[in-house]
Amino acid sequence: MRITEKLIGGAIALFVAFSAPATVSADELRFSTPTPPPHIFTRTAERLAEALSDDDNTIEVFPVNQLGNVPTVLSLLQSGGVELAIVPVGDLANRDPAFYGWFLPFQFETLAEAGAAANSEPAQEMLARLDQQGITGLGYVFPGQRHVLSKTPVTSVSDFEGLKVRAFPNDIFSAWWRELDAAPTALPLPEIMPSLVTGVIDAVDVDVDIVFGLSMHNQAPNLVLTNHMAFPGAVLASKRWWDGLDEATQERFLEAVSEAQAWAIETQTAGEATLLERLEADGASISTLDAAELREAGAVVRDAFLERDPLIGAFYEANQ
């Protein structure tokens, strides 16, 4: 009987331990990013950590998926195992199709336009819908627009035919590359460089920041500037953790995120030209491609995705 009582007591203790709300040490908050330190996602996280760490809370940034890949980090946010993260909005589109609105091709001509769209009502509604998943959306952060890095030069739209392009793993990126007769290959970030080396892919759909941060141009030296899509990240918090903060602390976090969002856009706008110069000095060949065929393909993809969710259409209309 005593043994049985001990077993039952132990089981109850375990149940209580796993069922209790997550508790966080006041001075140990974890902030995950999927990118290396030079990338604007990680630099923004570090800026927020510096601004928000104080005697009560110390925020430590964990770059390059040190706490797990993005799906793992999203699960950790839901459970309260991680307090803060920046994740690509492309990953959120796999959970909520409204986020496809960000990737309608050629929707934004400049990074500043994309940044302004972050403050629109539909963009904020996208973040608010994450509450249903146990995640609180705090804001957005932007690297540059998307371009194409390839092993061999791309001088016309016809050069995309049959090209094995690493596409971000979601439907709209695959649709975009199929419309250009390329062969999209969905790969997570850590697999890009090995796949370039082994020939699994010929090219990468990419922003300049990550090209520089991972020295991708050493394997694929041709960078063609297409500006075909925006590629925001979302600043996220664990709802379990966030809801435990007092209103003043929440407001302080939101103000810091808003400031960091503006800082990142300004930094990227000023810094991308410098990054391109450094890449060129290190052997990259940089060109532009603004063919009418690209925009025609973009219109086809845009029209195909506008009906995926009413919020996509609302977002598109709000930013025209």
Side-chain angles (χ1 to χ4, degrees):
M1 176 65 75
R2 290 180 179 175
I3 294 175
T4 302
E5 289 174 348
K6 287 182 179 180
L7 288 173
I8 293 172
I12 292 171
L14 283 172
F15 177 80
V16 171
F18 282 107
S19 301
T23 57
V24 177
S25 172
D27 60 354
E28 295 178 0
L29 304 180
R30 301 194 294 175
F31 199 147
S32 174
T33 77
T35 50
H39 195 275
I40 197 65
F41 284 1
T42 302
R43 292 168 65 195
T44 299
E46 290 169 344
R47 185 177 181 88
L48 287 169
E50 182 178 356
L52 295 168
S53 292
D54 53 27
D55 292 340
D56 295 322
N57 293 307
T58 298
I59 301 173
E60 184 175 357
V61 176
F62 293 85
V64 288
N65 289 324
Q66 290 180 27
L67 301 180
N69 60 20
V70 171
T72 297
V73 167
L74 289 172
S75 294
L76 288 169
L77 285 169
Q78 290 173 306
S79 69
V82 167
E83 291 76 41
L84 295 159
I86 293 177
V87 305
V89 166
D91 285 290
L92 299 179
N94 292 328
R95 289 169 161 249
D96 185 338
F99 285 101
Y100 282 128
W102 280 105
F103 305 111
L104 302 178
F106 300 108
Q107 183 174 200
F108 306 111
E109 294 296 329
T110 66
L111 189 59
E113 288 181 10
N119 298 317
S120 68
E121 185 175 336
Q124 293 301 307
E125 176 61 23
M126 292 176 196
L127 294 178
R129 280 165 56 158
L130 293 172
D131 270 15
Q132 302 167 17
Q133 302 181 34
I135 297 170
T136 299
L138 304 181
Y140 294 95
V141 59
F142 295 84
Q145 302 273 75
R146 302 297 280 188
H147 308 292
V148 183
L149 186 75
S150 60
K151 289 183 173 182
T152 58
V154 171
T155 60
S156 69
V157 173
S158 62
D159 290 332
F160 290 129
E161 185 174 352
L163 200 69
K164 294 178 291 185
V165 182
R166 183 271 177 169
F168 191 87
N170 76 27
D171 286 353
I172 197 166
F173 281 87
S174 295
W176 161 250
W177 286 110
R178 284 196 302 268
E179 189 62 31
L180 293 171
D181 294 322
T185 303
L187 292 171
L189 183 61
E191 294 183 22
I192 293 177
M193 290 300 289
S195 297
L196 281 171
V197 172
T198 59
V200 171
I201 55 174
D202 307 311
V204 187
D205 183 322
V206 72
D207 63 77
V208 172
D209 238 22
I210 202 68
V211 173
F212 182 80
L214 295 180
S215 298
M216 288 183 179
H217 60 292
N218 291 335
Q219 293 298 327
N222 302 284
L223 178 62
V224 58
L225 305 178
T226 53
N227 289 292
H228 55 273
M229 288 181 187
F231 193 75
V235 184
L236 306 176
S238 165
K239 190 175 189 303
R240 297 182 74 185
W241 168 74
W242 181 259
D243 288 349
L245 301 177
D246 60 64
E247 186 175 343
T249 302
Q250 289 181 349
E251 186 61 33
R252 186 163 64 91
F253 270 76
L254 290 171
E255 288 175 0
V257 169
S258 179
E259 186 279 332
Q261 179 176 296
W263 169 84
I265 292 169
E266 182 179 345
T267 298
Q268 287 301 95
T269 300
E272 188 164 282
T274 300
L275 285 183
L276 289 173
E277 289 175 1
R278 294 174 69 177
L279 286 169
E280 196 163 32
D282 198 35
S285 174
I286 300 172
S287 60
T288 59
L289 185 63
D290 188 19
E293 297 99 315
L294 278 180
R295 294 181 179 271
E296 290 170 5
V300 172
V301 174
R302 178 198 66 210
D303 292 346
F305 278 80
L306 276 174
E307 302 301 322
R308 287 285 186 103
D309 188 286
L311 200 50
I312 298 175
F315 179 77
Y316 180 70
E317 290 299 323
N319 294 295
Q320 295 306 295

